[in-house]
Amino acid sequence: MEDFKNNRRQLHLYRRAAMDFFPPQNMALGGAIDKLFRDSDDFEPIRLSSFEEELQPNNDAMNKEDTESSKRLMKLRERKSLRDLNVRWIGLMTSGEAALRERIALFWHGHFACRTVVPSFAESYINTIRKHALGNFGEMLIAVSKEPAMLQFLNNQQNRKNCPNENFAREVMELFTIGRGNYSEQDVKEGARAFTGWAFNYKGEFQFKERTTITERSSSWAKRALGSDDGVDFQ
């Protein structure tokens, strides 16, 4: 009877934490849990080599007559690259290797909702979530906040010292951390000020632009959103 209960618990665990794979036979529940974590210790980023080639401009096709066809071709390439990325990640989820990491990464992918049509941005964003899926939430929050996909999606490229854009800071508090009703409008303003200068370059790399940032900041918003401002480097 006890073996039956343990088997039911293991099956439930693997349905929720391992994409419905069957647990190892004749292994105690504690051992099955340890195995899930051990198998997910290592992180291997997804790398699709086709991105660099596909993102290069086609100079031969960029004359006036072919502008529209070039745009259509670029969109087709982007859609194909995004589809290839999705297929690769689904393949990792269903392979059984690092099942817990991929399952939890899928959860965080839904939490940190984001949309981009740039394949390299999507790849970097997914890899960041996969890397931090089983780690510290605060570190993952900062890493995701520096992703070009997220900065672009929430308009932080337009967040400048002479005209702060509050969209990014508001979403960080409302959706990603403390939730509606737990922050003030002043917190949003201070958050927007703190995130001025957070941007990315043409290569899709995070870049802190000092000339667009507000140097005098209050850290009260960080304490409310993150629980602490210790270790948060806004550069």
Side-chain angles (χ1 to χ4, degrees), residues 50-187:
S50 60
F51 282 171
E52 291 185 5
E53 179 182 348
E54 289 174 357
L55 293 177
Q56 292 297 322
N58 188 343
N59 294 325
D60 294 335
M62 289 307 289
N63 52 57
K64 292 183 179 180
E65 302 84 51
D66 293 335
T67 297
E68 291 303 316
S69 62
S70 297
K71 288 180 180 179
R72 287 195 296 270
L73 179 60
M74 181 62 70
K75 288 181 179 180
L76 287 173
R77 288 174 171 172
E78 289 175 345
R79 284 198 291 269
K80 181 181 181 302
S81 293
L82 289 170
R83 184 172 63 250
D84 291 346
L85 176 61
N86 290 336
V87 169
R88 179 71 65 84
W89 192 20
I90 291 172
L92 291 174
M93 293 180 197
T94 58
S95 70
E97 301 174 7
L100 180 62
R101 178 179 295 278
E102 303 304 340
R103 179 67 182 87
I104 301 302
L106 181 62
F107 167 80
W108 288 124
H109 178 269
H111 178 78
F112 291 105
C114 182
R115 181 179 63 219
T116 181
V117 297
V118 182
S120 58
F121 288 9
E123 181 186 87
S124 179
Y125 164 74
I126 288 174
N127 281 331
T128 291
I129 289 178
R130 292 176 61 242
K131 178 181 178 180
H132 293 276
L134 299 176
N136 179 276
F137 177 78
E139 293 177 1
M140 177 167 58
L141 173 63
I142 297 299
V144 169
S145 296
K146 290 183 175 182
E147 280 297 314
M150 188 64 74
L151 291 168
Q152 184 182 64
F153 182 57
L154 295 180
N155 313 115
N156 209 64
Q157 289 282 83
Q158 289 79 47
N159 186 16
R160 302 169 183 273
K161 62 181 179 181
N162 58 342
C163 186
N165 186 309
E166 298 177 358
N167 192 30
F168 188 78
R170 186 181 300 277
E171 297 304 295
V172 165
M173 284 184 268
E174 181 176 329
L175 297 181
F176 301 160
T177 55
I178 56 181
R180 187 178 296 179
N182 296 303
Y183 59 88
S184 67
E185 286 302 305
Q186 186 61 33
D187 290 327

Side-chain angles (χ1 to χ4, degrees), residues 30-42:
I33 293 173
D34 289 341
K35 186 177 188 308
L36 281 172
F37 278 95
R38 283 198 309 272
D39 291 347
S40 295
D41 275 345
D42 296 330

